[in-house]
Amino acid sequence: MPNKFRVFATCDIGESINLLRNRGYEVEVYPQPEAPPKSLIIEKVKSGIDGLITTLRDTIDAEVFEAGKGNLKVISQIAVGFDNINRADANKYKIPFTNTADVLTEATAEFAFFMLGDLARKLWTAEHLTRENKWGFWHPYLPFLGDEVTGKTIAIIGTGRIGLAMIKKCAGFDMNILCYDPAYQNHDYVKAIQETMDLRHARGIQREKTWIKYVSLDEALAQADFVSVHVPLLREGESDAPTYHLFNETNLRKMKPTAFLVNTSRGPVVDEPALAKALRENWIGGAALDVYEKEPLATDSPLRDPAIEDRCRLLPHFASAGKITRLSTDPNKGMAGRCAQGMIDVLEGNYGGDLTKMPYVVNKEAFGK
Ligand code: GLV
């Protein structure tokens, strides 16, 4: 008996669309690579679709839920972050939404680590030197040197899934690790990492002893050579510990003048004009960003200032952009597969139709007894 569900996807999610079509779903995919205007999303939702596939570029709020009253049954977001979806509104209208946590954890953490390496060892500047024929000689310290990562201290701001994966990668580079998270601490994981550090040292795999510990934000910022950000975006009123502009002028000034900031979380966690000033005035050593307050990055962004170009790496929201991570149809490997499965679970009433038991539903609190 084919399923007669109607779905609108605000972007193409590749082969995973066929996971739905093969089950009898009628799926319309927005054909452009850019996000559709909100008015089109409203129009599609009003037309009576059962499911909506969204990206972090789509604003999903009461207006959308109101348009879907009586028909819309699920929003399936292809991303782990869901700050574009108004959770309170979703709960008010009792619409479940799903995300794609877990499958992008390692890809995002490894990319954060590569950004950190790019910044510390000045890979971008070094390649320009070669390509522009400015590499005239080998010399012990000219035209510049980079900073090693091995043996340095990193602060991991946010110890959720991606922060913990970043910890694992940093431990492999013999780094000391300061952890900070206002909302979620995983002391068991930190203890296990310390044990692996101790074992590696005891067995001669790493020469120096290294350590990991939870500290306050101030301690983390004051002591770290690298600061890597892995918090969700939480605005004032959304949490007791909002993260909006966590990296403002005050907190940037707490970092060492030689320290590097890496952000793969959400752009608005960093106050961009404050960061540009910090780089111009050398309060910190450098920054590498994959996410921005407004995406794509504005042509007149202060982060594009040529005066800070050598210290400021700018990437296009790319951290999870691995082939398997983004597009595998396997919900245990790919964001696209997980996005489709989240929709199937809700529409087909898997898990006995109990939304609180569906692994990819985020706002379970709206559906408890
Ligand atoms: C990407 O930024 C995501 O939230 O998956």
Side-chain angles (χ1 to χ4, degrees), residues 327-347:
L327 288 186
S328 172
T329 54
D330 180 345
N332 291 314
K333 294 197 173 130
M335 295 164 68
R338 186 162 283 217
C339 173
Q341 188 60 49
M343 177 154 289
I344 291 167
D345 285 348
V346 177
L347 291 182

Side-chain angles (χ1 to χ4, degrees), residues 126-139 142-143:
E127 182 165 351
H128 272 271
L129 183 90
T130 314
R131 288 188 176 277
E132 289 159 18
N133 271 324
K134 291 181 187 149
W135 173 32
F137 42 80
W138 186 95
H139 185 280
L142 292 175

Side-chain angles (χ1 to χ4, degrees), residues 272 291-305 314-315:
E272 289 174 2
V291 287
Y292 304 93
E293 295 209 55
K294 264 212 155 77
E295 296 179 5
L297 184 64
T299 25
D300 61 351
S301 164
L303 296 168
R304 294 185 188 270
D305 182 352
L314 303 173
L315 286 311

Side-chain angles (χ1 to χ4, degrees), residues 52-245:
L52 177 66
I53 292 176
T54 57
T55 73
L56 45 85
R57 314 171 302 176
D58 307 313
T59 301
I60 305 300
D61 56 13
E63 204 186 348
V64 176
F65 295 120
E66 183 63 32
K69 244 180 162 175
N71 287 307
L72 185 65
K73 296 170 190 64
V74 59
I75 307 263
S76 197
Q77 163 107 336
I78 183 164
V80 59
F82 47 81
D83 44 281
N84 59 303
I85 299 176
N86 188 313
R87 185 173 189 151
D89 289 349
N91 290 355
K92 201 166 102 203
Y93 283 86
K94 294 247 176 262
I95 302 294
F97 65 92
T98 67
N99 74 342
T100 62
D102 301 312
V103 289
L104 48 68
T105 298
E106 300 297 335
T108 305
E110 74 175 28
F111 197 77
F113 196 86
F114 298 153
M115 287 167 67
L116 179 158
D118 179 352
L119 190 61
R121 299 298 296 270
K122 303 186 193 291
L123 299 187
W124 190 85
T125 317
E127 182 165 351
H128 272 271
L129 183 90
T130 314
R131 288 188 176 277
E132 289 159 18
N133 271 324
K134 291 181 187 149
W135 173 32
F137 42 80
W138 186 95
H139 185 280
Y141 58 83
L142 292 175
F144 50 75
L145 296 175
D147 290 300
E148 299 84 352
V149 169
T150 304
K152 295 280 172 51
T153 297
I154 186 162
I156 303 292
I157 308 300
T159 56
R161 299 179 195 85
I162 300 171
L164 295 183
M166 182 66 170
I167 286 173
K168 180 174 59 170
K169 297 185 193 315
C170 294
F173 272 74
D174 303 350
M175 299 185 85
N176 295 304
I177 304 170
L178 299 158
C179 307
Y180 169 74
D181 193 311
Y184 169 80
Q185 289 91 33
N186 191 331
H187 293 283
D188 278 351
Y189 190 93
V190 163
K191 186 163 168 272
I193 291 284
Q194 185 65 64
E195 285 165 9
T196 63
M197 288 170 160
D198 293 345
L199 180 64
R200 281 162 56 106
H201 181 256
R203 299 291 295 271
I205 295 168
Q206 62 180 63
R207 199 158 354 143
E208 305 286 338
K209 259 184 174 296
T210 51
W211 46 260
I212 177 167
K213 59 185 175 184
Y214 271 103
V215 292
S216 69
L217 179 63
D218 282 2
E219 282 173 271
L221 297 181
Q223 292 170 30
D225 301 303
F226 298 91
V227 175
S228 190
V229 189
H230 303 283
V231 291
L233 170 60
L234 295 166
R235 295 178 192 271
E236 206 64 54
E238 289 179 344
S239 159
D240 295 339
T243 57
Y244 177 78
H245 280 193

Side-chain angles (χ1 to χ4, degrees), residues 32-47:
Q32 309 300 329
E34 296 86 8
K38 192 173 178 200
S39 56
L40 183 77
I41 298 178
I42 302 275
E43 186 189 306
K44 296 295 175 191
V45 170
K46 258 197 187 140
S47 78

